[in-house]
Amino acid sequence: YLQLFTVEPDAQGNWGSPVPLQDVLHSEYHNATASTANDGQQLYFTRTHMVRQQNKVNPDPTSWVKEPEKPEHINRLEIFSAQKQGESWNNVQPFAFNNVTEYSVGHPALSPDGQILYFASDMPGSLGDTDIFYSTRQPDGSCSTPVNAGATINTPGRESFPYVDANGKLYFASDGHAGM
C-alpha cells in the first residue's frame, strides 16, 4: 500500500534517501497525495478506506481503472490533516466534510499561504464524475463549506489531482479538457 515519505536535500543540494513519515500518519490502506503550505506546519493528506458496497453507492469515481460492475467493496477517499510540533506530526484530524458512505474527498492541495484547500470529490454539487472543490480557512481555523470551482475548471468528466504552484496558479488532471 502507498505510504507517505519525505526526502531532504544535503548541503550540496543532492537529495538524500526517502524516510517514511511517522506511523501516526499511516493507516491500514493507502495514504498519499499530501500537501503543505509554505510554512510546513500543517499537512493535509488523502487516506483510502474500503467501504462495503450498498444498494445506492457510486463506483469509485477517482479510479482510472475499470472495475467489475458490482464489486463487494469500493475504495473511498478522505482528507486528514496533521500539525507539526517540533520534528513530529501530531493531532491527526479528519476533514469536516469527509463522508465515505456517500462520496470521496481527496487529493488535497493547499495554496502557498495555507488559506485555500483545493481537493477532488464526487460530493453533491459535482458537475461530473469528480470535480475540483475548494474550502477557505476561517478565522477560527476551521474550513468553510466546500465550493465547486465551477464550469471553467470542471466538466462532465473527471477532474482530479489539483496542485497549486508558488504563485497560486492551479493545475489539475482532467479527462474533459484537452491537454497534455
Side-chain angles (χ1 to χ4, degrees):
Y1 294 107
L2 300 175
Q3 298 300 335
L4 298 171
F5 287 76
T6 186
V7 177
E8 298 291 330
D10 63 20
Q12 292 76 36
N14 300 312
W15 293 104
S17 297
V19 176
L21 287 179
Q22 65 197 77
D23 286 342
V24 69
L25 298 179
H26 293 175
S27 66
E28 186 176 354
Y29 298 109
H30 300 299
N31 294 281
T33 319
S35 181
T36 186
N38 286 342
D39 68 4
Q41 297 303 299
Q42 186 162 27
L43 178 74
Y44 285 86
F45 61 98
T46 301
R47 202 171 258 177
T48 302
H49 292 277
M50 190 175 286
V51 177
R52 182 175 291 281
Q53 186 86 276
Q54 296 177 8
N55 290 342
K56 188 181 176 190
V57 176
N58 294 334
D60 178 6
T62 61
S63 177
W64 297 93
V65 177
K66 295 289 183 193
E67 294 290 330
E69 267 194 50
K70 294 267 184 182
E72 184 177 344
H73 291 86
I74 59 171
N75 290 332
R76 285 287 169 84
L77 307 179
E78 290 186 294
I79 295 175
F80 285 81
S81 64
Q83 297 288 324
K84 192 160 194 179
Q85 296 173 339
E87 295 301 311
S88 298
W89 292 103
N90 297 294
N91 194 27
V92 176
Q93 296 292 317
F95 182 52
F97 301 97
N98 290 344
N99 187 347
V100 295
T101 61
E102 299 293 325
Y103 52 82
S104 286
V105 176
H107 313 301
L110 274 173
S111 62
D113 63 3
Q115 297 302 303
I116 303 171
L117 176 66
Y118 295 92
F119 58 91
S121 181
D122 62 332
M123 66 176 36
S126 296
L127 303 176
D129 290 336
T130 57
D131 283 1
I132 304 297
F133 285 80
Y134 66 90
S135 184
T136 57
R137 183 177 305 282
Q138 302 300 291
D140 66 359
S142 66
C143 288
S144 70
T145 300
V147 175
N148 186 296
T152 300
I153 292 173
N154 295 310
T155 70
R158 287 181 287 209
E159 281 68 45
S160 57
F161 299 106
Y163 169 77
V164 183
D165 73 10
N167 297 317
K169 188 172 184 177
L170 176 66
Y171 295 86
F172 57 95
S174 174
D175 67 2
H177 288 286
M180 294 179 65

